[in-house]
Amino acid sequence: MKLNAEKLFVAMVGLPARGKSTIASKLKENLLKDAIKTRIFNNGQLRRRLMRENTSYPEFYSPDNREGVRLREKIALINIEKANKYLEHDGNIAILDATNVSGNRRNIIVSLSNKYPLLFIECINNDAEILEESIKRKITLPEFQHLSENVAVRSFKQRIDYYKSIYDPLGKERNFVCLDSLNNKILKEDIRDSLPYYDRIRDFLVTDSVKNLFLIRHGETYFNLENRIGGDSRLTQKGQSQAVALARYFRKKVIPVIFTSEKTRTIETAKPIKELQGHCAIIPLREFNEIDSGVCEGMSYEEIREKMPSIYASRKLDKYNYVYPGGEGYVTMQERIGRGIKKALYLSGNAGNIMIVGHRAVNRMILSHFLYRRKEDVPYIYIPQDKFYHIIATQDKKLFQLKRFEPLSKN
Ligand code: F6P
């Protein structure tokens, strides 16, 4: 097959809520930065634009609903045609953003895209907890507004089941890559043609990309005043003022979601920020809970030194690898923090700004996920309560900036 070197068809594949649209739009943004003309042809959007009647009810997606199938195939054909026109004109990459899970649909794409090389990107994520959370976010879309939350969730899950019933896994296609879209990990890859732009697309797919991550530590707590560790202490007056000051600082930015731990102090810090935003959700993740100091929970460092000198000394000797009896160490936190970051990025979708309100040890681990630090230095990274970190980590830019927010004036 003679392939046109400057043009590429990309077809997304995957069940609903697997991150296809997020990946497609981030990829587009990334390519446009290098003047690679990219456009997304999204079947769902086109369907909502062309069809007045409501199509959010699950039976519309049943493979036995002949009228539903006919309409969805028609939408798919229109988008393939539009994508062809775009490539014929001056476009470089046309992305077909739809489930495309049946072999039948993919055969149609193959036969109608034959003037250009074609790459399938399959998004896979079977993490039940994340899917539940993603579905909760999906049903806030206007097409579900007339339904109660329970009915909307059920209807969305039924829609997923219909797609599952016609799912043909990739395998025969000439060029495809299967991606674990939660972990940015390539699970399977078969590229037989020399595809334009594939190097950079592949690199993009495996890169954790954060445009603006605001990493905040909770405000001052009663435990902080006494130098006590762990627990579930509330914010002091000063801690609450810090939260309000943060809220004012971020008021002009759009923060659609704030990830916290399950602890009172992070949620209390996030609440005033949420209040000054238009639409903002607080999502507590247990992965961002502070290091569990086991037998030392609730003690001050002075008490530990006096009452448990061997613990104090061993931790001092190798803080990164030391694990509190009955609790955790930095070394054992790494996996759950990594998982928390993946969850937060996945659930943020296309949001340009992501905020995490965490704890001292947690924020050290989050920072070290994006910024290389020798392991032995991680437990000493500076995590103040009157400043926050602004992190950008994309394929072409890395930024770590410690920023101060104006405290509230006393009078
Ligand atoms: O003191 C606040 C705190 O978040 C504790 O809950 C936690 O044990 C500690 O900081 C972590 O810091 P380090 O590892 O330096 O003891």
Side-chain angles (χ1 to χ4, degrees):
M1 187 179 9
K2 186 174 178 309
L3 301 174
N4 187 326
E6 296 305 316
K7 313 268 177 180
L8 179 67
F9 244 109
V10 173
M12 306 303 293
V13 176
L15 294 170
R18 263 57 181 183
K20 298 181 301 296
S21 297
T22 302
I23 289 178
S25 72
K26 284 188 176 172
L27 177 61
K28 170 181 156 182
E29 200 180 314
N30 186 290
L31 294 161
L32 286 176
K33 274 192 211 151
D34 278 352
I36 299 169
K37 290 189 182 127
T38 306
R39 192 173 290 172
I40 296 173
F41 300 86
N42 177 298
N43 287 9
Q45 273 166 17
L46 183 64
R47 168 172 46 79
R48 285 185 285 273
R49 225 178 32 239
L50 295 185
M51 295 169 65
R52 286 240 193 86
E53 69 268 37
N54 187 300
T55 54
S56 66
Y57 62 97
E59 281 65 41
F60 181 74
Y61 300 88
S62 162
D64 299 327
N65 174 352
R66 288 174 61 186
E67 183 56 9
V69 172
R70 190 187 68 79
L71 286 168
R72 284 184 293 117
E73 290 310 310
K74 189 170 148 191
I75 300 282
L77 290 178
I78 298 176
N79 263 340
I80 299 173
E81 195 184 319
K82 282 178 168 214
N84 265 313
K85 288 223 172 87
Y86 175 64
L87 293 179
E88 264 160 40
H89 186 53
D90 63 346
N92 297 113
I93 302 187
I95 306 179
L96 299 175
D97 182 13
T99 53
N100 301 326
V101 290
S102 72
N104 188 29
R105 166 70 68 79
R106 292 203 295 274
N107 287 340
I108 295 174
I109 296 176
V110 171
S111 65
L112 296 181
S113 67
N114 61 358
K115 280 192 263 161
Y116 307 104
L118 168 64
L119 166 69
F120 286 102
I121 301 179
E122 183 181 24
C123 296
I124 298 172
N125 171 22
N126 293 321
D127 185 304
E129 220 184 312
I130 298 215
L131 287 176
E132 282 296 325
E133 200 55 61
S134 283
I135 291 172
K136 266 201 235 152
R137 297 193 65 68
K138 287 262 178 206
I139 59 163
T140 58
L141 291 171
E143 63 175 305
F144 295 101
Q145 284 315 292
H146 62 295
L147 303 175
S148 72
E149 187 179 325
N150 281 347
V151 176
V153 167
R154 243 183 295 130
S155 139
F156 200 83
K157 286 186 175 168
Q158 178 64 56
R159 184 194 298 195
I160 293 177
D161 285 342
Y162 281 135
Y163 279 113
K164 275 188 186 162
S165 72
I166 53 160
Y167 205 118
D168 288 318
L170 285 163
K172 298 185 294 286
E173 292 71 11
R174 284 188 70 77
N175 307 299
F176 71 89
V177 53
C178 301
L179 182 76
D180 169 344
S181 50
L182 175 62
N183 295 302
N184 309 88
K185 200 170 150 220
I186 290 183
L187 302 170
K188 210 162 138 199
E189 181 181 25
D190 194 0
I191 306 293
R192 295 188 215 159
D193 298 319
S194 146
L195 299 181
Y197 317 109
Y198 186 64
D199 286 1
R200 59 173 304 154
I201 292 177
R202 189 191 193 284
D203 192 44
F204 164 83
L205 293 176
V206 298
T207 305
D208 260 347
S209 192
V210 272
K211 239 200 315 194
N212 288 301
L213 169 61
F214 302 110
L215 181 63
I216 291 169
R217 184 178 169 199
H218 62 79
E220 184 192 76
T221 66
Y222 291 101
F223 260 34
N224 290 151
L225 286 181
E226 296 171 13
N227 227 358
R228 290 187 188 282
I229 63 174
D232 195 13
S233 179
R234 296 197 60 179
L235 297 186
T236 60
Q237 194 75 51
K238 182 176 167 193
Q240 284 170 21
S241 309
Q242 285 167 330
V244 173
L246 277 164
R248 293 196 186 158
Y249 183 96
F250 285 102
R251 163 199 258 156
K252 296 226 171 80
K253 298 202 188 298
V254 177
I255 313 285
V257 37
I258 307 174
F259 297 95
T260 64
S261 73
E262 295 171 316
K263 303 290 176 188
T264 308
R265 53 196 185 276
T266 58
I267 297 173
E268 279 187 349
T269 306
K271 273 187 181 155
I273 305 175
K274 170 187 158 88
E275 270 159 32
L276 288 196
Q277 293 286 322
H279 294 281
C280 173
I282 295 179
I283 303 186
L285 297 179
R286 66 172 177 285
E287 283 82 358
F288 290 153
N289 285 349
E290 182 54 314
I291 186 169
D292 177 352
S293 44
V295 295
C296 296
E297 276 287 300
M299 293 173 82
S300 70
Y301 291 108
E302 292 72 28
E303 277 171 358
I304 301 173
R305 192 173 55 206
E306 276 167 28
K307 297 185 185 150
M308 303 180 173
S310 68
I311 291 187
Y312 189 85
S314 312
R315 190 163 195 256
K316 210 168 162 205
L317 211 60
D318 185 358
K319 197 171 169 189
Y320 187 86
N321 287 306
Y322 183 78
V323 178
Y324 282 108
E328 295 178 296
Y330 282 87
V331 65
T332 57
M333 282 169 78
Q334 196 183 358
E335 199 263 319
R336 74 165 163 97
I337 297 290
R339 188 176 149 77
I341 294 170
K342 298 289 183 192
K343 259 190 180 182
L345 297 186
Y346 190 89
L347 294 174
S348 306
N350 286 328
N353 298 325
I354 305 175
M355 181 177 280
I356 300 177
V357 181
H359 302 262
R360 183 153 65 178
V362 165
N363 287 10
R364 285 174 175 153
M365 294 302 284
I366 294 175
L367 265 178
S368 68
H369 180 92
F370 294 104
L371 171 70
Y372 174 73
R373 277 280 191 275
R374 278 187 304 257
K375 284 198 167 148
E376 61 265 34
D377 293 328
V378 171
Y380 299 97
I381 298 176
Y382 177 49
I383 308 285
Q385 279 166 316
D386 58 351
K387 297 187 187 104
F388 65 89
Y389 280 94
H390 178 193
I391 301 172
I392 300 176
T394 59
Q395 213 177 3
D396 51 5
K397 186 171 178 186
K398 299 269 180 280
L399 173 119
F400 296 85
Q401 201 174 3
L402 188 57
K403 286 186 174 165
R404 179 186 286 281
F405 54 92
E406 254 337 287
L408 296 185
S409 61
K410 293 234 166 61
N411 38 31

